[in-house]
Amino acid sequence: MNWILLIIAGLFEVAFASCLSMAKVATGKEVYGWYGGFLVCLTISMLLLIRATQSLPIGTAYAVWTGIGAVGTVLVGIFFFKEPAHFWRIFFIFALIGSIIGLKAVSH
C-alpha cells in the first residue's frame, strides 16, 4: 500500500512542477490559481511521502519519489510544453526509469 502512496506522491510532484510552469506563463489573477494549485499539490505530495516513509526506507522512498517527479515532469514538458525530445533526453529518461525500478526491486 505504501508503494502506491509513494507513486501517487510522485504524481503530485509532477503536478506541482506543472503548476509552476503554468504560473510562469499566466497573466493577471490566473497566476494566483496556479500558485494555489502548486501549494495544494506540494502539500499532498509531502503528506503522502511522509506516510509512505513510515514503512519504506527513506533513501529508497525519496529516490523513487524524486525519480517519478523528474521523469513525469520531463514527459509533461515534452508532451504539453513542447520541450525538445531528442535521443539523449529520451535515453536518460529510460535510464532513470530503470534506476527507479532497480531501487524498488532491491528494497526490503
Side-chain angles (χ1 to χ4, degrees):
M1 179 65 180
N2 284 319
W3 281 105
I4 293 169
L5 293 178
L6 185 61
I7 290 168
I8 295 169
L11 295 175
F12 272 99
E13 184 182 6
V14 174
F16 76 67
S18 298
C19 286
L20 283 178
S21 185
M22 292 301 295
K24 184 173 61 174
V25 298
T27 58
K29 294 184 181 201
E30 183 182 356
V31 171
Y32 298 115
W34 288 113
Y35 284 132
F38 164 78
L39 291 173
V40 168
C41 291
L42 175 67
T43 301
I44 293 169
S45 182
M46 290 296 157
L47 291 173
L48 291 172
L49 177 62
I50 290 166
R51 177 70 174 96
T53 58
Q54 290 176 349
S55 67
L56 299 174
I58 186 67
T60 301
Y62 185 75
V64 170
W65 177 75
T66 57
I68 291 168
V71 169
T73 302
V74 169
L75 293 175
V76 166
I78 289 170
F79 291 113
F80 295 102
F81 299 116
K82 307 299 183 236
E83 293 179 0
H86 52 75
F87 171 79
W88 286 112
R89 202 158 190 216
I90 302 302
F91 173 83
F92 285 114
I93 289 171
F94 278 103
L96 187 53
I97 292 168
S99 297
I100 293 167
I101 292 168
L103 280 171
K104 185 194 180 313
V106 299
S107 71
H108 296 94

